[in-house]
């Protein structure tokens, strides 16, 4: 599934080398050892089981429609009224480069934050 929520199928580029197996085959073999056998023996059966449990996976390339995404839902968000022209608009996110834990732990994102956010602040002064 991509960032938009569209289901995408990838094709195998090469067979696993030697005695290596695909991930699903390893999990299927492990399920036998654990005594909880998974109900598929090939990739086709795996895809059928996946599509049975999550029907949207059968809709390749379709844009999903999520609950409460109608325009009427969004009408109640925000405040009504005129904008005050004397108050400057400011971004909701103060530092895009540090918006999540992974980014905050990244040395590269910290450098971006120092370089680009600091430059923006200096230019506005």
């Amino acid at each position: 599934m991509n960032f938009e929520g569209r289901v995408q199928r990838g094709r195998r580029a090469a067979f696993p080398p030697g005695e290596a197996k695909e991930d699903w085959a390893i999990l299927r073999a492990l399920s036998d050892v654990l005594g909880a056998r998974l109900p598929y023996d090939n990739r086709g059966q795996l895809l059928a089981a996946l599509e049975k449990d999550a029907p949207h996976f059968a809709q390749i390339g379709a844009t999903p429609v999520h609950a409460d995404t109608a325009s009427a839902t969004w009408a109640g968000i925000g405040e009504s009224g005129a904008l005050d022209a004397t108050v400057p608009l400011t971004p909701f996110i103060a530092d895009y480069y540090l918006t999540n834990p992974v980014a905050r732990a990244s040395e590269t994102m910290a450098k971006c934050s120092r370089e680009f956010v600091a430059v923006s602040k200096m230019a506005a002064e």
Side-chain angles (χ1 to χ4, degrees):
M1 183 175 298
N2 70 11
F3 186 69
E4 292 177 304
R6 294 176 193 258
V7 175
Q8 296 175 313
R9 291 265 166 88
R11 298 202 191 321
R12 178 181 14 219
F15 285 94
E19 294 183 34
K21 294 183 168 68
E22 294 175 298
D23 293 345
W24 74 266
I26 295 168
L27 292 174
R28 168 60 183 74
L30 179 62
S31 73
D32 266 345
V33 174
L34 297 174
R37 185 177 182 166
L38 293 171
Y40 44 82
D41 295 318
N42 59 48
R43 190 172 185 272
Q45 291 175 344
L46 169 64
L47 289 174
L50 177 67
E51 291 168 1
K52 180 182 174 205
D53 289 342
H56 64 282
F57 274 90
Q59 300 168 359
I60 308 300
T63 304
V65 177
H66 301 288
D68 295 330
T69 57
S71 60
T73 303
W74 294 96
I77 296 175
E79 297 177 11
S80 61
L83 290 176
D84 183 352
T86 62
V87 178
L89 295 176
T90 58
F92 180 73
I93 297 173
D95 191 342
Y96 168 79
Y97 300 98
L98 303 176
T99 55
N100 63 68
V102 174
R104 286 190 292 274
S106 166
E107 185 177 322
T108 301
M109 294 302 271
K111 287 179 183 176
C112 288
S113 176
R114 284 191 301 271
E115 186 167 331
F116 298 117
V117 175
V119 168
S120 297
K121 287 180 182 175
M122 286 191 300
E125 291 178 356

